[in-house]
Amino acid sequence: MISIALSKGRILDDTLPLIKAAGIVASEHPDDSRKLIIGTSRADVRLIIVRATDVPTYVQYGAADLGVAGGDVLAEHGGEGLYQPLDLGIARCRLMVAVRDGFDYEHAVRQGARLRVATKYLNTAREHFAAKGVHVDLIKLYGSMELAPLTGLADAIVDLVSTGSTLKANHLVAVEEITQISARLVVNQAAYKLKRAVIQSLLEAVAGAVRGV
Ligand code: PRT
Ligand code: MG
């Protein structure tokens, strides 16, 4: 049996067509089902529906053989025990630093001011600001980062931006790009060795779907 960990939401929507092209069709749409384990058109493949941030954990411990996770989640997790053989090119966005419209970020950085930065990406943010030599106090949030600069919780946020409309609606502006993000297929390293033939053929089929062939 091969288990694939997927999260609901945008990654799922973009992943289902890719695995379908690889011959794997979910027997129920995860959005319409309360089931957390969903069978597929292939008797030897099942889908496990987990929180986006939990995908690397399921795959790392081998509770799922494969998974699809955003580059943001993987960077924050650290990727231990995971192969990352395939960039799926889906759920694309950018990890950015953003501030309230009118806040002079460049000036604050030049002055060597200690910035308060709210984010759910503590590790990634810590590395980014350390590399720039900017002193920051990081505040961990679990969602709605955009609220932090508006309420005085933080000077800046580190968050994902795709269309930019959430920033705009909240009078925030992006001032720095940390990295471009897309979702990747990840594989448990031990499973890759033990179930090599079946996982390899699955990877090739998904890679073909990504290339559009
Ligand atoms: O919902 P849950 O807490 O379980 O997890 P989640 O919210 O992290 O999951 P989900 O499904 O929202 O996102 C899963 C993955 O999608 C992320 O890990 C990213 O790799 C990817 N992704 C791509 C995004 C976005 N684009 C994105 N725009 N994830 C979140 N956003 C949010 C962003 O945080 C911001 O609040 O959308 C808002 C900005 O969008 P725009 O279009 O207004 O710029
Ligand atoms: Mg969400």
Side-chain angles (χ1 to χ4, degrees):
M1 176 63 75
I2 298 284
S3 296
I4 307 177
L6 295 175
S7 59
K8 284 195 186 187
R10 51 195 111 211
I11 286 193
L12 182 78
D13 297 340
D14 288 357
T15 302
L16 290 181
L18 285 180
I19 63 172
K20 186 174 180 187
I24 299 165
V25 182
S27 50
E28 298 170 59
H29 195 294
D31 282 342
D32 305 332
S33 174
R34 287 174 185 270
K35 284 189 191 164
L36 298 174
I37 298 180
I38 293 182
T40 72
S41 52
R42 266 179 62 167
D44 63 337
V45 180
R46 63 180 190 173
L47 308 179
I48 298 183
I49 309 302
V50 304
R51 287 289 293 264
T53 44
D54 291 335
V55 168
T57 306
Y58 273 82
V59 179
Q60 174 186 0
Y61 287 99
D65 302 294
L66 305 171
V68 178
D72 51 319
V73 168
L74 292 168
E76 194 61 20
H77 177 268
E80 198 191 327
L82 305 177
Y83 280 130
Q84 300 186 22
L86 192 57
D87 188 334
L88 299 177
I90 59 172
R92 285 180 186 279
C93 56
R94 297 184 294 164
L95 188 66
M96 314 266 314
V97 181
V99 298
R100 228 177 40 242
D101 197 2
F103 179 86
D104 194 344
Y105 175 72
E106 290 304 328
H107 180 75
V109 165
R110 268 200 315 275
Q111 294 293 304
R114 213 175 165 86
L115 286 178
R116 287 215 297 184
V117 179
T119 186
K120 67 175 172 183
Y121 303 105
L122 285 188
N123 296 332
T124 312
R126 189 179 300 112
E127 271 174 40
H128 172 72
F129 291 109
K132 277 178 59 96
V134 175
H135 297 287
V136 290
D137 291 318
L138 295 172
I139 300 173
K140 168 82 181 183
L141 289 179
Y142 293 87
S144 299
M145 265 81 81
E146 294 88 356
L147 202 50
L150 305 179
T151 53
L153 180 63
D155 304 307
I157 59 172
V158 167
D159 194 12
L160 301 173
V161 179
S162 46
T163 62
S165 48
T166 306
L167 290 183
K168 203 167 173 202
N170 291 292
H171 310 288
L172 301 174
V173 287
V175 288
E176 202 161 75
E177 177 176 310
I178 298 179
T179 182
Q180 307 224 355
I181 305 279
S182 54
R184 295 186 214 146
L185 195 68
V186 295
V187 185
N188 174 272
Q189 288 180 350
Y192 191 59
K193 293 187 187 115
L194 291 169
K195 307 178 187 177
R196 187 157 206 133
V198 56
I199 290 180
Q200 191 58 39
S201 76
L202 224 147
L203 286 179
E204 278 163 24
V206 174
V210 171
R211 291 194 308 269
V213 296

